[in-house]
Amino acid sequence: SLLSASLLGIDFANPLLNASGVYCRDVAELDALAASAAGSLVTKSCTLLAREGNPEPRYYATPLGSINSMGLPNAGYQYYLAYAQQHDYAAKPLFLSVAGLSLADNLTMLAAIRAADTPAIVELNLSCPNVPGKPQIGYDFAAMTAMLEAVTQAYDRPFGVKLPPYFDIAHFDEAAAILNRFPQVAFVTCINSIGNALIIDVEAESVVIKPKDGFGGIGGDYVLPTALANVNAFYRRCPAKQIIGCGGVTRGEHIFMHLLAGASLVQVGTALYEEGPGIFARLNDELAELLTRKGYRGIEEVRGKLRTL
Ligand SMILES: CC(C)(C)CCc1c(C(=O)O)[nH]c(=O)[nH]c1=O
């Protein structure tokens, strides 16, 4: 139908799902997403052991978006694997987000996920921490290569990676060249939050979140152009892979932008946090109205059709 989408040969009723980390930490939230108009859902990035995460306030929203330094609060990978084992895949596909604190942790979690043999699709979060003093894995190309070499040995199924935003063409080139060495990396999700921003409250003359002296990843309107650029950069550079867009979606036309840029599915973070799962019905309606007004019969006709001048 008009909004039908597909990824890894799997059918989706529509291209929308949550961004990992938003509205997906416990069964109640995951069930609400499963019951919503979203075409699929992804779990909060998990670690080997459960984590409390950082002290609050650790999330704050402004009229232009959000800042967060959650610190990977999650129930531990077995909790999400158990959820994946009871999920109704006939209703909608489910993604498991994995963010091990070490390569060893990732390998342990992925081996367990593989052994469970569920239809869940793995999204490996490459913004996961590296050794102290080094940048996140997504910004350490040697570590990223080593991680993917080890993971593709341990996990023999197609999977995807969640990438941080890049801002330099040479970085798009280098990151894509690494990913293209791994055909098992079947999709790329662009982008994670733009890291280490700082939001200031003028009235209080203060930062707005407690961790990291107020530094945190931003989402929302602030990141849409960067998200679209990363979607299109990897769409152009990785013709054998699919792209999941993430960043800056609050309206149907933003989904349309992500599709034009090359996205097959589109994730919603900040706007979902602020509006709740009802947003998916609104976004699907707005997207359907836009496609119809423009004479499209399906989103496949839109994907990657961005014109240049
Ligand atoms: C930033 C990390 C804590 C290393 C990973 C989890 C994560 C978080 C988080 O749990 O703080 N927030 C994000 O915006 N993106 C992420 O990938």
Side-chain angles (χ1 to χ4, degrees), residues 44 68-73 125 127-129 192-193:
K44 167 66 184 177
N68 89 85
S69 186
M70 308 301 286
L72 258 176
N125 185 347
S127 289
C128 46
N192 206 322
S193 50

Side-chain angles (χ1 to χ4, degrees), residues 49-158:
L49 307 175
R51 290 169 57 89
E52 293 248 311
N54 289 332
E56 297 177 331
R58 57 194 188 184
Y59 171 94
Y60 182 88
T62 75
L64 292 176
S66 69
I67 187 167
N68 89 85
S69 186
M70 308 301 286
L72 258 176
N74 76 97
Y77 81 99
Q78 287 119 328
Y79 181 95
Y80 303 104
L81 182 50
Y83 187 85
Q85 288 175 302
Q86 62 75 55
H87 176 70
D88 173 10
Y89 292 89
K92 59 182 77 174
L94 173 125
F95 295 79
L96 277 173
S97 176
V98 174
L101 300 179
S102 68
L103 172 55
D105 285 3
N106 272 332
L107 297 180
T108 300
M109 291 190 281
L110 289 168
I113 291 165
R114 182 65 187 90
D117 196 18
T118 80
I121 304 167
V122 166
E123 183 182 79
L124 182 65
N125 185 347
L126 293 184
S127 289
C128 46
N130 199 345
V131 299
K134 301 205 69 174
Q136 61 166 286
I137 299 294
Y139 290 154
D140 177 343
F141 290 135
M144 183 164 131
T145 302
M147 172 82 69
L148 291 174
E149 279 169 349
V151 162
T152 49
Q153 300 296 320
Y155 190 74
D156 65 349
R157 278 195 167 163

Side-chain angles (χ1 to χ4, degrees), residues 6-304:
S6 117
L7 189 94
L8 313 190
I10 299 163
D11 292 329
F12 294 68
N14 65 71
L16 301 181
L17 68 158
N18 64 300
S20 178
V22 181
Y23 224 100
C24 57
R25 195 168 346 130
D26 60 29
V27 168
E29 292 181 330
L30 292 165
D31 282 350
L33 291 178
S36 79
S40 63
L41 67 160
V42 57
T43 59
K44 167 66 184 177
S45 293
C46 61
T47 48
L48 199 65
L49 307 175
R51 290 169 57 89
E52 293 248 311
N54 289 332
E56 297 177 331
R58 57 194 188 184
Y59 171 94
Y60 182 88
T62 75
L64 292 176
S66 69
I67 187 167
N68 89 85
S69 186
M70 308 301 286
L72 258 176
N74 76 97
Y77 81 99
Q78 287 119 328
Y79 181 95
Y80 303 104
L81 182 50
Y83 187 85
Q85 288 175 302
Q86 62 75 55
H87 176 70
D88 173 10
Y89 292 89
K92 59 182 77 174
L94 173 125
F95 295 79
L96 277 173
S97 176
V98 174
L101 300 179
S102 68
L103 172 55
D105 285 3
N106 272 332
L107 297 180
T108 300
M109 291 190 281
L110 289 168
I113 291 165
R114 182 65 187 90
D117 196 18
T118 80
I121 304 167
V122 166
E123 183 182 79
L124 182 65
N125 185 347
L126 293 184
S127 289
C128 46
N130 199 345
V131 299
K134 301 205 69 174
Q136 61 166 286
I137 299 294
Y139 290 154
D140 177 343
F141 290 135
M144 183 164 131
T145 302
M147 172 82 69
L148 291 174
E149 279 169 349
V151 162
T152 49
Q153 300 296 320
Y155 190 74
D156 65 349
R157 278 195 167 163
F159 67 98
V161 292
K162 173 79 168 284
L163 294 180
Y166 299 99
F167 302 91
D168 189 302
I169 300 300
H171 292 161
F172 290 140
D173 292 341
E174 191 164 357
I178 293 169
L179 297 177
N180 285 335
R181 285 179 42 199
F182 302 98
Q184 229 183 298
V185 177
F187 69 91
V188 181
T189 303
C190 299
I191 59 172
N192 206 322
S193 50
I194 296 180
N196 295 304
L198 184 61
I199 287 183
I200 293 175
D201 174 341
V202 169
E203 175 57 33
E205 302 178 15
S206 167
V207 303
V208 296
I209 57 173
K210 184 165 189 168
K212 294 179 61 176
D213 291 330
F215 283 60
I218 53 175
D221 293 355
Y222 297 118
V223 311
L224 179 60
T226 295
L228 295 173
N230 278 260
V231 165
N232 195 236
F234 285 96
Y235 178 75
R236 289 173 180 278
R237 289 168 175 77
C238 304
K241 303 182 194 297
Q242 290 182 275
I243 312 297
I244 299 181
C246 184
V249 173
T250 64
R251 295 204 309 274
E253 67 187 74
H254 303 141
I255 304 163
F256 189 75
M257 294 175 196
H258 273 278
L259 297 174
L260 282 174
S264 291
L265 301 180
V266 180
Q267 299 178 346
V268 184
T270 299
L272 168 62
Y273 193 113
E274 295 304 309
E275 188 167 328
I279 194 173
F280 291 111
R282 173 174 71 81
L283 290 174
N284 277 320
D285 289 348
E286 290 175 2
L287 178 60
E289 195 277 331
L290 181 60
L291 292 169
T292 303
R293 176 152 49 83
K294 285 173 164 279
Y296 287 104
R297 287 161 303 166
I299 65 174
E300 308 295 307
E301 296 173 5
V302 181
R303 187 174 61 253

